[in-house]
Amino acid sequence: MTVGNSLRRWAPGTLLTSAIMLVAQGAFADEVNIYTTREPGLIQPLLDAFTKESGIEVKTVALKDGLAERVASEGENSPADVLMTVDFGNLVDLVEAGVTQPVKSEALESAIPANLRDADGNWFALSLRARVLYADKDLNDLTSFTYEELADPKWDGKVCIRSGKHPYNIALISTMIAKDGAEKTEAWLEGVKNNLARPAAGGDRDVARDILGGICEIGIANSYYVGLMRSGKGGPEQEEWAKAIKVILPTFADGSGSQVNVSGAAVAKHAPNKDNAVKLLEYLVSDEAQGIYASANYEYPVKPGAPIDPIIEALGPLKVDATQLTEIAANRKTAAELVDKVGFDE
């Protein structure tokens, strides 16, 4: 067989293989795959806006839980590019599970304060929700508040709160530990428990409901629920709950600011479309996307100066506590142990 005959014999197959590869690569280059534990409806407006701007199709896999386990089990064959979740503890868990990779991006680093992202670029906060005080609207003299005051005996029998084991409260307790140590935090937690008007249970919006019902006068809850109630998205009953309360942005006694939790995202370790994943994260911290977050979910933007929904803006300027989120996350186990030790949910 001559060399010429050999080339003619193999060329068609080679060309066909190359064509298939090019088609596959072309399709791959125009998509990004998200695994998320967030409600799909909450993030869809953002994803639609990203596709419209970039031409990159976004495919979403919604998971209730087990995000790290799913990606780890898929290994190098995982199609996941972006891992998106709520609560900075979950973001830290993704890193510890070894399913993320570090990203270096000037756009992300300039938009997101250092304490709200992983120091090595393994995850980034995308939006914020503050742990705020709901108070009876008739408490006219109450205009400011510290988290430490929840344990003040003057509030004996007047405090409502959800389970101490809920991630929202574990984050607050973990921040206390980071600031004051476990011993002082335990004493504070005992004081809060002694002030409870009812068992620590239910949800954040139940705090507003029970203030309206005269069960308690104050309670700690998340800021974005105020938007859901006051906007009418929670229904007319919840609008009435919202009318019964005023909202105060508490600080810690050291004056450092309000405790926040986040929604955030990471680039998956074996992301087949890493460049598109980074483009999506960078878009999500743009002014446009931050404004969509604010209007769709009543969350605070992570980017300073980005638009805020008028309902949330009316709560006043948010000063975010500067404690590094990874430092807070390291205290979660101790926080949960203290909740059990003082019988907070009993």
Side-chain angles (χ1 to χ4, degrees):
M1 182 183 296
T2 66
V3 173
N5 288 335
S6 176
L7 285 173
R8 283 193 294 273
R9 180 175 179 181
W10 287 102
T14 303
L15 289 172
L16 178 60
T17 301
S18 298
I20 292 172
M21 289 177 65
L22 286 171
V23 170
Q25 289 169 356
F28 235 26
D30 292 329
E31 71 179 34
V32 62
N33 302 299
I34 299 178
Y35 281 18
T36 180
T37 59
R38 297 214 70 181
E39 290 281 345
L42 295 180
I43 60 172
Q44 196 58 50
L46 290 155
L47 305 183
D48 291 342
F50 171 71
T51 297
K52 183 177 180 180
E53 178 174 297
S54 67
I56 298 171
E57 181 184 2
V58 182
K59 298 179 179 178
T60 305
V61 175
L63 304 169
K64 185 175 181 181
D65 48 35
L67 177 59
E69 292 80 2
R70 167 76 176 266
V71 179
S73 68
E74 292 174 346
E76 294 183 7
N77 295 320
S78 177
D81 296 308
V82 173
L83 311 178
M84 186 178 290
T85 189
V86 174
D87 185 71
F88 58 79
N90 291 328
L91 293 164
V92 171
D93 288 343
L94 293 175
V95 180
E96 293 179 350
V99 296
T100 66
Q101 62 173 294
V103 168
K104 187 72 176 175
S105 164
E106 183 178 346
L108 291 169
E109 291 169 12
S110 63
I112 306 170
N115 63 310
L116 301 177
R117 51 182 164 86
D118 178 62
D120 296 321
N122 281 288
W123 58 264
F124 301 88
L126 299 175
S127 64
L128 309 175
R129 60 279 301 275
R131 207 77 181 128
V132 302
L133 186 80
Y134 293 4
D136 189 318
K137 63 180 177 59
D138 294 328
L139 293 175
N140 297 320
D141 293 336
L142 188 63
T143 58
S144 63
F145 201 81
T146 66
Y147 296 106
E148 286 82 355
E149 287 181 84
L150 284 170
D152 191 319
K154 73 179 181 181
W155 298 111
D156 182 21
K158 299 177 180 179
V159 175
C160 285
I161 197 168
R162 74 191 307 164
S163 167
K165 282 290 188 71
H166 192 279
Y168 296 160
N169 286 332
I170 287 294
L172 176 59
I173 298 165
S174 297
T175 307
M176 283 286 190
I177 295 171
K179 289 178 174 294
D180 298 329
E183 185 176 344
K184 286 186 178 180
T185 301
E186 180 182 345
W188 171 77
L189 205 55
E190 280 274 16
V192 179
K193 174 181 167 57
N194 291 339
N195 285 343
L196 293 181
R198 57 160 171 76
D204 279 2
R205 280 176 277 194
D206 294 337
V207 174
R209 178 199 66 192
D210 290 348
I211 289 174
L212 174 63
I215 295 172
C216 46
E217 293 186 4
I218 63 171
I220 291 291
N222 269 357
S223 55
Y224 73 95
Y225 288 122
V226 179
L228 292 172
M229 290 188 292
R230 290 185 174 170
S231 67
K233 288 187 177 179
E237 184 179 34
Q238 292 185 19
E239 282 190 84
E240 294 303 311
W241 301 352
K243 290 176 183 177
I245 65 169
K246 62 181 178 179
V247 180
I248 295 173
L249 294 171
T251 63
F252 290 94
D254 62 8
S256 57
S258 300
Q259 192 265 326
V260 300
N261 211 317
V262 306
S263 71
V267 174
K269 182 177 182 178
H270 301 294
N273 303 291
K274 179 182 177 180
D275 289 346
N276 288 349
V278 175
K279 287 179 183 177
L280 175 59
L281 294 189
E282 290 177 341
Y283 170 76
L284 291 176
V285 296
S286 67
D287 285 345
E288 178 185 15
Q290 290 284 289
I292 295 173
Y293 262 121
S295 62
N297 306 329
Y298 303 103
E299 294 175 298
Y300 285 98
V302 71
K303 183 180 182 181
I308 303 175
D309 183 88
I311 294 176
I312 301 303
E313 189 173 24
L315 304 183
L318 173 66
K319 180 183 177 183
V320 176
D321 176 65
T323 308
Q324 178 68 38
L325 294 186
T326 48
E327 180 185 355
I328 297 170
N331 295 317
R332 288 175 295 161
K333 183 174 184 290
T334 302
E337 289 170 350
L338 290 181
V339 170
D340 287 337
K341 186 176 181 180
V342 305
F344 192 84
D345 289 352
E346 296 174 4

